Amino acid sequence: MIKNYYQQILNFLKSPDFLKSIIVTFGIVLPLIIGIQIDQISYLLSISIGVFLTSGSDVPGSRKHKSIGILIATLIALLTTIAITYVAPNPYLLVPTMSLLIFGISFISVYGFRASLISFSGLLAIVLSFAHPQVGQEILIQGLFIAIGGFWYLFLSAIFHPLLQKRQINKELSSCLQFTAQYIRIRGNLAIGEGKAEELKKELFELQTTINATHETLRELLLTERQSSGFSNYKRKQLLIFIELIDILELSMANPANYEKINSLFLEKPQYVRPFIDLVFQLSDRLDQMAIAMLENKKLSHKIDFNILIQLCEKTIQTYKNDIGLPEAREGALLLRNLLEYEENQIQKIDSIERVFYDLENQKNIGIRSKEGKQFITQQDYDLNILSENFSFKSPILKHSARLTIAMLLAYTIGTLFSLQNTYWILLTIVVIMRPGYTLTKKRSKHRLYGTLIGASIASLIVLINQNTYLFAFLAIVSLTLALSFIQKNYKTASVFITTSIVFIYTLINPDAFEVIQYRVVDTIIGAAIAFGAGTLLWPTWESESIQNTILKVLRANRKYLAQIDRYYHENSGLTDYKLARKEAFLEMGNLNAAFQRLSQEPKSQQHHVGKINEIVSINQTLLAAMASLGTYLINHKENEVSKDFEFIIKTIDLNLKQAIQRLLKKDQTGSISEDELELAHQHLEERFESLVSIRNQELAFEKTKPIDPQLRKRLQSTRLISDQMKWLVTISGNIKKVIESLESDLVK
């Protein structure tokens, strides 16, 4: 137990979050120390503020994107500070200036995650302008020093970029290994019915969202950087691991239909399935071992001999056939055979990753061509038209900007009317807590309150025990470092250390620490109440208002994915286009999972048609998994002959999805499929399987123990799997259409 805690602490100290927090703390503290030494603390404090304001925009990504983000944050902090400080003495100028700046700066969040952090820096600059008032030419001088702070942090960021980038990639890759291992393990538990199915599926959906986000971060880190600097041998290895992990996830997703069938077919005979599931768990454990080895920078432990487990599975299939007897055992044997083939494919992927760990793979030719790799990066569109498109109350960002503006003006008014000592603390609380969505605002309100109360209690206890100013200075620096380390990952913990750092800093200035603590707690409560009240009463953005659009995006992405599967089946080419469509389908499905989770946490009065939306989410997840299963199989098993029946069924599936989209858009449904022709197409696929079964039965009639020809077995597997998957996809796509039609009918009522 102690060893585990020690390792967790060690991993945290090696993490990129902690390294970045040290860099930021150093950037803040060094100017303060110099200022004290030369008795110019006022000017040097502005440099520290500049570092604090601009460092928030420094998120994982390429050097170019980081630098541009920091420079824009510096410019906004400079102009905002000057503007607010100039008009602060005149309330008739201050109110409209604050309104325009708060609204305008928060509105730039429409340009994505990095823009939202730049926006946050600008809002902080507005708040801190009230904490550091100036007059006359001092306003420009202080603004200039804030800009110097931004350039100082840009310098630090550039120096430490390679080290931070390396740690960030290692951390994200190890996390991706762990998440993928967990995904495989949950799939195994679903296959054997261990645990509650609904809870496992919910966990699976949430995990897929997390994996998608990790994949996007890794694409940004590995592929964007390559565009300008090329690939080192080390990064080639990292890219290979990432590519294999994406394929492992698709393979893992590609078998739920088989798992459900196995679960029902072998419900009374679990002994025949257990060796296969044990192998799945071993694969999961191996990925976990790799994650730990990468995170702790250790050598990978001895290689697992999967051949022994594969032989046991082979033996189990034979035992099953002997116990049940052919032809009764054929369907179950083929299912187990397909499952084993899937596991062998996973082993090949894991072996490829292991060769990277053991440095046995020739890395010179590994990677993605620059042009191809660029396609996999989700490019942020910075067109000015995006601003005009979002300038409507249908936009969550516009509503959030208006809501935030009113909340901050209200907070400033309350602080002024009641002559509160630190009005900017209330403003700061509102800026930190308020988010476009109700769920996240509520969550951050709770975390902010809990963190402030816990932090205030800890600081009070320390101040009671000790009055050493050097200790307070040391604890302020440590608290600031820890707060910055947790700010993105664990806001509740970050709030604790933010509070302790502020208390210790003010204790150095004002010996009456308990007065500082009292104001901090009261102002936080007021700020949290205003933020939560505004989020609930002022044009709240409920997930039920936008989730239909999210469903629409998923259906469109699934149609595109299906089209690429069909194209690859016909041409045996276009693998890049297939992977791009797969990526988009996975991301949109993850967005839908996340949207539903947010919906389920909103007030019951706002959870409209939650049951049917839950059904739509589940069916779409199953559809994506079934398509992944079909696509993976077709890629790994080239078909020499293009089946017209396959084409007809694909058109049926696509039409179901198209009509579901038309229903969501409230358009007339176009196109139709003959049920008789569809039944005939299914019948033809089944007849191909039966003809192969007949050949095998004739062989067994002459010689009961005659081993099956490997080619015949592969053809049996192929025809069985494709026939089952096509039927399954038609059923699922039809169910999606029916549920959406039912949902739309309820909305009309």
Side-chain angles (χ1 to χ4, degrees), residues 95-135:
V95 171
T97 302
M98 272 184 71
S99 302
L100 288 172
L101 285 175
I102 294 169
F103 182 86
I105 291 172
S106 58
F107 192 54
I108 66 174
S109 297
V110 296
Y111 287 116
F113 179 61
R114 193 182 296 275
S116 70
L117 293 177
I118 294 172
S119 168
F120 182 69
S121 297
L123 293 170
L124 282 180
I126 292 173
V127 172
L128 294 182
S129 297
F130 293 104
H132 200 44
Q134 301 293 333
V135 293

mmCIF file of all heavy atoms in Angstrom, residues 95-135:
data_model
loop_
_atom_site.group_PDB
_atom_site.id
_atom_site.type_symbol
_atom_site.label_atom_id
_atom_site.label_comp_id
_atom_site.label_asym_id
_atom_site.label_seq_id
_atom_site.Cartn_x
_atom_site.Cartn_y
_atom_site.Cartn_z
ATOM 1 N N VAL A 95 -19.014 50.924 -16.494
ATOM 2 C CA VAL A 95 -20.048 49.906 -16.736
ATOM 3 C C VAL A 95 -20.138 49.510 -18.209
ATOM 4 O O VAL A 95 -20.089 48.328 -18.540
ATOM 5 C CB VAL A 95 -21.413 50.368 -16.195
ATOM 6 C CG1 VAL A 95 -22.521 49.417 -16.644
ATOM 7 C CG2 VAL A 95 -21.375 50.442 -14.673
ATOM 8 N N PRO A 96 -20.255 50.482 -19.154
ATOM 9 C CA PRO A 96 -20.303 50.055 -20.564
ATOM 10 C C PRO A 96 -18.998 49.418 -21.043
ATOM 11 O O PRO A 96 -19.024 48.485 -21.854
ATOM 12 C CB PRO A 96 -20.600 51.350 -21.323
ATOM 13 C CG PRO A 96 -20.268 52.461 -20.396
ATOM 14 C CD PRO A 96 -20.482 51.933 -19.020
ATOM 15 N N THR A 97 -17.865 49.910 -20.542
ATOM 16 C CA THR A 97 -16.571 49.321 -20.944
ATOM 17 C C THR A 97 -16.459 47.882 -20.452
ATOM 18 O O THR A 97 -16.051 46.983 -21.198
ATOM 19 C CB THR A 97 -15.404 50.156 -20.382
ATOM 20 O OG1 THR A 97 -15.521 51.502 -20.845
ATOM 21 C CG2 THR A 97 -14.071 49.584 -20.843
ATOM 22 N N MET A 98 -16.813 47.680 -19.181
ATOM 23 C CA MET A 98 -16.810 46.315 -18.635
ATOM 24 C C MET A 98 -17.732 45.409 -19.440
ATOM 25 O O MET A 98 -17.368 44.270 -19.783
ATOM 26 C CB MET A 98 -17.275 46.329 -17.169
ATOM 27 C CG MET A 98 -16.184 46.540 -16.149
ATOM 28 S SD MET A 98 -16.838 46.405 -14.459
ATOM 29 C CE MET A 98 -17.177 44.654 -14.348
ATOM 30 N N SER A 99 -18.921 45.921 -19.744
ATOM 31 C CA SER A 99 -19.909 45.110 -20.467
ATOM 32 C C SER A 99 -19.363 44.660 -21.814
ATOM 33 O O SER A 99 -19.436 43.475 -22.172
ATOM 34 C CB SER A 99 -21.203 45.898 -20.669
ATOM 35 O OG SER A 99 -21.741 46.303 -19.434
ATOM 36 N N LEU A 100 -18.819 45.614 -22.571
ATOM 37 C CA LEU A 100 -18.299 45.291 -23.905
ATOM 38 C C LEU A 100 -17.124 44.328 -23.832
ATOM 39 O O LEU A 100 -17.031 43.369 -24.614
ATOM 40 C CB LEU A 100 -17.884 46.581 -24.629
ATOM 41 C CG LEU A 100 -19.027 47.483 -25.102
ATOM 42 C CD1 LEU A 100 -18.484 48.806 -25.627
ATOM 43 C CD2 LEU A 100 -19.839 46.779 -26.190
ATOM 44 N N LEU A 101 -16.224 44.577 -22.878
ATOM 45 C CA LEU A 101 -15.030 43.728 -22.773
ATOM 46 C C LEU A 101 -15.378 42.314 -22.301
ATOM 47 O O LEU A 101 -14.885 41.331 -22.857
ATOM 48 C CB LEU A 101 -14.016 44.365 -21.821
ATOM 49 C CG LEU A 101 -13.245 45.576 -22.373
ATOM 50 C CD1 LEU A 101 -12.360 46.185 -21.293
ATOM 51 C CD2 LEU A 101 -12.402 45.180 -23.577
ATOM 52 N N ILE A 102 -16.211 42.212 -21.277
ATOM 53 C CA ILE A 102 -16.576 40.884 -20.763
ATOM 54 C C ILE A 102 -17.291 40.082 -21.847
ATOM 55 O O ILE A 102 -16.958 38.922 -22.105
ATOM 56 C CB ILE A 102 -17.467 40.995 -19.507
ATOM 57 C CG1 ILE A 102 -16.680 41.606 -18.349
ATOM 58 C CG2 ILE A 102 -17.994 39.613 -19.098
ATOM 59 C CD1 ILE A 102 -17.537 41.994 -17.158
ATOM 60 N N PHE A 103 -18.264 40.721 -22.502
ATOM 61 C CA PHE A 103 -19.013 40.024 -23.541
ATOM 62 C C PHE A 103 -18.097 39.643 -24.710
ATOM 63 O O PHE A 103 -18.099 38.495 -25.177
ATOM 64 C CB PHE A 103 -20.165 40.890 -24.050
ATOM 65 C CG PHE A 103 -21.008 40.203 -25.084
ATOM 66 C CD1 PHE A 103 -22.052 39.380 -24.708
ATOM 67 C CD2 PHE A 103 -20.736 40.346 -26.446
ATOM 68 C CE1 PHE A 103 -22.823 38.728 -25.660
ATOM 69 C CE2 PHE A 103 -21.495 39.702 -27.407
ATOM 70 C CZ PHE A 103 -22.543 38.884 -27.014
ATOM 71 N N GLY A 104 -17.317 40.604 -25.191
ATOM 72 C CA GLY A 104 -16.467 40.351 -26.357
ATOM 73 C C GLY A 104 -15.404 39.296 -26.097
ATOM 74 O O GLY A 104 -15.186 38.399 -26.921
ATOM 75 N N ILE A 105 -14.749 39.380 -24.928
ATOM 76 C CA ILE A 105 -13.679 38.429 -24.619
ATOM 77 C C ILE A 105 -14.233 37.029 -24.404
ATOM 78 O O ILE A 105 -13.655 36.042 -24.872
ATOM 79 C CB ILE A 105 -12.883 38.909 -23.382
ATOM 80 C CG1 ILE A 105 -12.077 40.166 -23.739
ATOM 81 C CG2 ILE A 105 -11.951 37.816 -22.876
ATOM 82 C CD1 ILE A 105 -11.406 40.830 -22.561
ATOM 83 N N SER A 106 -15.354 36.915 -23.714
ATOM 84 C CA SER A 106 -15.928 35.576 -23.492
ATOM 85 C C SER A 106 -16.486 34.993 -24.785
ATOM 86 O O SER A 106 -16.500 33.770 -24.971
ATOM 87 C CB SER A 106 -17.028 35.632 -22.424
ATOM 88 O OG SER A 106 -18.053 36.527 -22.801
ATOM 89 N N PHE A 107 -16.896 35.852 -25.726
ATOM 90 C CA PHE A 107 -17.494 35.386 -26.977
ATOM 91 C C PHE A 107 -16.475 34.724 -27.900
ATOM 92 O O PHE A 107 -16.843 33.901 -28.744
ATOM 93 C CB PHE A 107 -18.172 36.556 -27.687
ATOM 94 C CG PHE A 107 -19.066 36.138 -28.823
ATOM 95 C CD1 PHE A 107 -20.086 35.206 -28.627
ATOM 96 C CD2 PHE A 107 -18.903 36.664 -30.092
ATOM 97 C CE1 PHE A 107 -20.909 34.819 -29.670
ATOM 98 C CE2 PHE A 107 -19.729 36.288 -31.147
ATOM 99 C CZ PHE A 107 -20.733 35.366 -30.932
ATOM 100 N N ILE A 108 -15.185 35.048 -27.752
ATOM 101 C CA ILE A 108 -14.177 34.422 -28.624
ATOM 102 C C ILE A 108 -14.000 32.934 -28.319
ATOM 103 O O ILE A 108 -13.311 32.234 -29.059
ATOM 104 C CB ILE A 108 -12.811 35.141 -28.553
ATOM 105 C CG1 ILE A 108 -12.190 34.994 -27.156
ATOM 106 C CG2 ILE A 108 -12.925 36.587 -28.973
ATOM 107 C CD1 ILE A 108 -10.783 35.559 -27.067
ATOM 108 N N SER A 109 -14.671 32.449 -27.283
ATOM 109 C CA SER A 109 -14.625 31.016 -26.969
ATOM 110 C C SER A 109 -15.244 30.164 -28.073
ATOM 111 O O SER A 109 -15.054 28.945 -28.086
ATOM 112 C CB SER A 109 -15.350 30.725 -25.651
ATOM 113 O OG SER A 109 -14.706 31.363 -24.581
ATOM 114 N N VAL A 110 -15.979 30.798 -29.009
ATOM 115 C CA VAL A 110 -16.566 30.040 -30.121
ATOM 116 C C VAL A 110 -15.485 29.372 -30.963
ATOM 117 O O VAL A 110 -15.765 28.446 -31.728
ATOM 118 C CB VAL A 110 -17.443 30.934 -31.028
ATOM 119 C CG1 VAL A 110 -18.630 31.463 -30.273
ATOM 120 C CG2 VAL A 110 -16.634 32.071 -31.635
ATOM 121 N N TYR A 111 -14.235 29.827 -30.820
ATOM 122 C CA TYR A 111 -13.146 29.282 -31.632
ATOM 123 C C TYR A 111 -12.452 28.086 -30.987
ATOM 124 O O TYR A 111 -11.365 27.710 -31.419
ATOM 125 C CB TYR A 111 -12.120 30.376 -31.934
ATOM 126 C CG TYR A 111 -12.607 31.392 -32.952
ATOM 127 C CD1 TYR A 111 -12.787 32.719 -32.592
ATOM 128 C CD2 TYR A 111 -12.897 31.018 -34.247
ATOM 129 C CE1 TYR A 111 -13.240 33.659 -33.518
ATOM 130 C CE2 TYR A 111 -13.351 31.944 -35.179
ATOM 131 C CZ TYR A 111 -13.522 33.259 -34.805
ATOM 132 O OH TYR A 111 -13.970 34.165 -35.724
ATOM 133 N N GLY A 112 -13.053 27.481 -29.988
ATOM 134 C CA GLY A 112 -12.514 26.223 -29.481
ATOM 135 C C GLY A 112 -11.814 26.324 -28.140
ATOM 136 O O GLY A 112 -11.820 27.370 -27.471
ATOM 137 N N PHE A 113 -11.167 25.221 -27.758
ATOM 138 C CA PHE A 113 -10.608 25.065 -26.417
ATOM 139 C C PHE A 113 -9.499 26.078 -26.134
ATOM 140 O O PHE A 113 -9.500 26.756 -25.106
ATOM 141 C CB PHE A 113 -10.083 23.646 -26.242
ATOM 142 C CG PHE A 113 -9.454 23.381 -24.906
ATOM 143 C CD1 PHE A 113 -10.187 23.497 -23.741
ATOM 144 C CD2 PHE A 113 -8.107 23.038 -24.803
ATOM 145 C CE1 PHE A 113 -9.615 23.264 -22.494
ATOM 146 C CE2 PHE A 113 -7.523 22.799 -23.580
ATOM 147 C CZ PHE A 113 -8.270 22.915 -22.420
ATOM 148 N N ARG A 114 -8.524 26.182 -27.051
ATOM 149 C CA ARG A 114 -7.422 27.122 -26.806
ATOM 150 C C ARG A 114 -7.952 28.555 -26.723
ATOM 151 O O ARG A 114 -7.507 29.344 -25.883
ATOM 152 C CB ARG A 114 -6.370 26.989 -27.904
ATOM 153 C CG ARG A 114 -5.054 27.689 -27.556
ATOM 154 C CD ARG A 114 -4.058 27.557 -28.695
ATOM 155 N NE ARG A 114 -3.682 26.187 -28.933
ATOM 156 C CZ ARG A 114 -2.713 25.546 -28.284
ATOM 157 N NH1 ARG A 114 -2.020 26.182 -27.358
ATOM 158 N NH2 ARG A 114 -2.423 24.290 -28.559
ATOM 159 N N ALA A 115 -8.905 28.891 -27.591
ATOM 160 C CA ALA A 115 -9.498 30.228 -27.565
ATOM 161 C C ALA A 115 -10.226 30.476 -26.245
ATOM 162 O O ALA A 115 -10.221 31.601 -25.725
ATOM 163 C CB ALA A 115 -10.450 30.398 -28.739
ATOM 164 N N SER A 116 -10.868 29.431 -25.700
ATOM 165 C CA SER A 116 -11.582 29.597 -24.427
ATOM 166 C C SER A 116 -10.609 29.899 -23.291
ATOM 167 O O SER A 116 -10.941 30.652 -22.367
ATOM 168 C CB SER A 116 -12.403 28.341 -24.107
ATOM 169 O OG SER A 116 -11.561 27.255 -23.776
ATOM 170 N N LEU A 117 -9.402 29.340 -23.351
ATOM 171 C CA LEU A 117 -8.397 29.620 -22.322
ATOM 172 C C LEU A 117 -7.825 31.026 -22.488
ATOM 173 O O LEU A 117 -7.525 31.708 -21.502
ATOM 174 C CB LEU A 117 -7.280 28.579 -22.386
ATOM 175 C CG LEU A 117 -7.707 27.158 -22.004
ATOM 176 C CD1 LEU A 117 -6.549 26.184 -22.176
ATOM 177 C CD2 LEU A 117 -8.216 27.101 -20.566
ATOM 178 N N ILE A 118 -7.660 31.470 -23.738
ATOM 179 C CA ILE A 118 -7.238 32.853 -23.983
ATOM 180 C C ILE A 118 -8.314 33.808 -23.464
ATOM 181 O O ILE A 118 -8.014 34.834 -22.844
ATOM 182 C CB ILE A 118 -6.977 33.077 -25.485
ATOM 183 C CG1 ILE A 118 -5.767 32.245 -25.941
ATOM 184 C CG2 ILE A 118 -6.749 34.554 -25.783
ATOM 185 C CD1 ILE A 118 -5.539 32.242 -27.433
ATOM 186 N N SER A 119 -9.569 33.446 -23.712
ATOM 187 C CA SER A 119 -10.691 34.230 -23.201
ATOM 188 C C SER A 119 -10.648 34.310 -21.677
ATOM 189 O O SER A 119 -10.848 35.382 -21.089
ATOM 190 C CB SER A 119 -12.006 33.597 -23.666
ATOM 191 O OG SER A 119 -13.110 34.148 -22.992
ATOM 192 N N PHE A 120 -10.371 33.176 -21.050
ATOM 193 C CA PHE A 120 -10.285 33.132 -19.586
ATOM 194 C C PHE A 120 -9.187 34.068 -19.084
ATOM 195 O O PHE A 120 -9.358 34.779 -18.086
ATOM 196 C CB PHE A 120 -10.026 31.699 -19.138
ATOM 197 C CG PHE A 120 -9.970 31.518 -17.652
ATOM 198 C CD1 PHE A 120 -11.103 31.646 -16.874
ATOM 199 C CD2 PHE A 120 -8.778 31.211 -17.024
ATOM 200 C CE1 PHE A 120 -11.055 31.481 -15.491
ATOM 201 C CE2 PHE A 120 -8.711 31.039 -15.652
ATOM 202 C CZ PHE A 120 -9.856 31.183 -14.882
ATOM 203 N N SER A 121 -8.047 34.107 -19.792
ATOM 204 C CA SER A 121 -6.950 35.011 -19.414
ATOM 205 C C SER A 121 -7.404 36.461 -19.483
ATOM 206 O O SER A 121 -7.081 37.275 -18.595
ATOM 207 C CB SER A 121 -5.748 34.792 -20.342
ATOM 208 O OG SER A 121 -5.224 33.499 -20.212
ATOM 209 N N GLY A 122 -8.158 36.807 -20.539
ATOM 210 C CA GLY A 122 -8.659 38.166 -20.670
ATOM 211 C C GLY A 122 -9.620 38.544 -19.558
ATOM 212 O O GLY A 122 -9.585 39.670 -19.030
ATOM 213 N N LEU A 123 -10.489 37.617 -19.184
ATOM 214 C CA LEU A 123 -11.439 37.876 -18.090
ATOM 215 C C LEU A 123 -10.708 38.042 -16.758
ATOM 216 O O LEU A 123 -11.080 38.890 -15.931
ATOM 217 C CB LEU A 123 -12.453 36.729 -18.011
ATOM 218 C CG LEU A 123 -13.406 36.610 -19.211
ATOM 219 C CD1 LEU A 123 -14.195 35.313 -19.129
ATOM 220 C CD2 LEU A 123 -14.358 37.808 -19.280
ATOM 221 N N LEU A 124 -9.660 37.236 -16.555
ATOM 222 C CA LEU A 124 -8.851 37.396 -15.341
ATOM 223 C C LEU A 124 -8.181 38.761 -15.312
ATOM 224 O O LEU A 124 -8.054 39.377 -14.246
ATOM 225 C CB LEU A 124 -7.777 36.299 -15.272
ATOM 226 C CG LEU A 124 -8.214 34.910 -14.818
ATOM 227 C CD1 LEU A 124 -7.024 33.965 -14.816
ATOM 228 C CD2 LEU A 124 -8.834 34.946 -13.426
ATOM 229 N N ALA A 125 -7.753 39.229 -16.493
ATOM 230 C CA ALA A 125 -7.114 40.549 -16.567
ATOM 231 C C ALA A 125 -8.092 41.639 -16.129
ATOM 232 O O ALA A 125 -7.710 42.602 -15.438
ATOM 233 C CB ALA A 125 -6.627 40.807 -17.989
ATOM 234 N N ILE A 126 -9.362 41.500 -16.521
ATOM 235 C CA ILE A 126 -10.387 42.461 -16.091
ATOM 236 C C ILE A 126 -10.503 42.459 -14.566
ATOM 237 O O ILE A 126 -10.520 43.512 -13.919
ATOM 238 C CB ILE A 126 -11.749 42.119 -16.729
ATOM 239 C CG1 ILE A 126 -11.699 42.348 -18.239
ATOM 240 C CG2 ILE A 126 -12.869 42.947 -16.106
ATOM 241 C CD1 ILE A 126 -12.947 41.882 -18.969
ATOM 242 N N VAL A 127 -10.574 41.267 -13.998
ATOM 243 C CA VAL A 127 -10.733 41.138 -12.545
ATOM 244 C C VAL A 127 -9.532 41.716 -11.801
ATOM 245 O O VAL A 127 -9.679 42.496 -10.847
ATOM 246 C CB VAL A 127 -10.927 39.651 -12.169
ATOM 247 C CG1 VAL A 127 -10.903 39.486 -10.656
ATOM 248 C CG2 VAL A 127 -12.234 39.117 -12.741
ATOM 249 N N LEU A 128 -8.327 41.330 -12.248
ATOM 250 C CA LEU A 128 -7.118 41.766 -11.533
ATOM 251 C C LEU A 128 -6.843 43.256 -11.716
ATOM 252 O O LEU A 128 -6.057 43.834 -10.960
ATOM 253 C CB LEU A 128 -5.916 40.944 -11.998
ATOM 254 C CG LEU A 128 -5.966 39.452 -11.636
ATOM 255 C CD1 LEU A 128 -4.712 38.736 -12.096
ATOM 256 C CD2 LEU A 128 -6.145 39.260 -10.128
ATOM 257 N N SER A 129 -7.469 43.888 -12.712
ATOM 258 C CA SER A 129 -7.323 45.343 -12.872
ATOM 259 C C SER A 129 -7.870 46.078 -11.653
ATOM 260 O O SER A 129 -7.374 47.146 -11.274
ATOM 261 C CB SER A 129 -8.068 45.814 -14.128
ATOM 262 O OG SER A 129 -7.518 45.236 -15.280
ATOM 263 N N PHE A 130 -8.894 45.484 -11.011
ATOM 264 C CA PHE A 130 -9.479 46.091 -9.803
ATOM 265 C C PHE A 130 -8.597 45.848 -8.579
ATOM 266 O O PHE A 130 -8.685 46.593 -7.602
ATOM 267 C CB PHE A 130 -10.873 45.519 -9.556
ATOM 268 C CG PHE A 130 -11.878 45.910 -10.595
ATOM 269 C CD1 PHE A 130 -12.288 45.014 -11.564
ATOM 270 C CD2 PHE A 130 -12.408 47.191 -10.619
ATOM 271 C CE1 PHE A 130 -13.219 45.365 -12.525
ATOM 272 C CE2 PHE A 130 -13.343 47.562 -11.580
ATOM 273 C CZ PHE A 130 -13.743 46.646 -12.545
ATOM 274 N N ALA A 131 -7.760 44.820 -8.647
ATOM 275 C CA ALA A 131 -6.890 44.512 -7.502
ATOM 276 C C ALA A 131 -5.620 45.346 -7.524
ATOM 277 O O ALA A 131 -4.940 45.477 -6.504
ATOM 278 C CB ALA A 131 -6.526 43.026 -7.517
ATOM 279 N N HIS A 132 -5.295 45.897 -8.688
ATOM 280 C CA HIS A 132 -4.012 46.586 -8.850
ATOM 281 C C HIS A 132 -4.250 47.944 -9.517
ATOM 282 O O HIS A 132 -3.746 48.213 -10.614
ATOM 283 C CB HIS A 132 -3.114 45.695 -9.725
ATOM 284 C CG HIS A 132 -1.651 45.996 -9.602
ATOM 285 N ND1 HIS A 132 -1.024 46.224 -8.413
ATOM 286 C CD2 HIS A 132 -0.690 46.096 -10.558
ATOM 287 C CE1 HIS A 132 0.262 46.440 -8.619
ATOM 288 N NE2 HIS A 132 0.489 46.373 -9.932
ATOM 289 N N PRO A 133 -5.066 48.831 -8.903
ATOM 290 C CA PRO A 133 -5.441 50.104 -9.553
ATOM 291 C C PRO A 133 -4.245 51.049 -9.700
ATOM 292 O O PRO A 133 -3.355 51.076 -8.852
ATOM 293 C CB PRO A 133 -6.500 50.673 -8.613
ATOM 294 C CG PRO A 133 -6.182 50.073 -7.281
ATOM 295 C CD PRO A 133 -5.631 48.711 -7.551
ATOM 296 N N GLN A 134 -4.254 51.823 -10.791
ATOM 297 C CA GLN A 134 -3.205 52.805 -11.053
ATOM 298 C C GLN A 134 -3.854 54.074 -11.604
ATOM 299 O O GLN A 134 -5.020 54.066 -12.022
ATOM 300 C CB GLN A 134 -2.204 52.250 -12.078
ATOM 301 C CG GLN A 134 -1.512 50.967 -11.664
ATOM 302 C CD GLN A 134 -0.580 51.131 -10.494
ATOM 303 O OE1 GLN A 134 -0.041 52.217 -10.270
ATOM 304 N NE2 GLN A 134 -0.391 50.059 -9.727
ATOM 305 N N VAL A 135 -3.069 55.151 -11.634
ATOM 306 C CA VAL A 135 -3.565 56.414 -12.197
ATOM 307 C C VAL A 135 -2.486 57.011 -13.094
ATOM 308 O O VAL A 135 -1.304 56.681 -12.991
ATOM 309 C CB VAL A 135 -3.933 57.431 -11.083
ATOM 310 C CG1 VAL A 135 -5.113 56.957 -10.276
ATOM 311 C CG2 VAL A 135 -2.734 57.704 -10.182
#
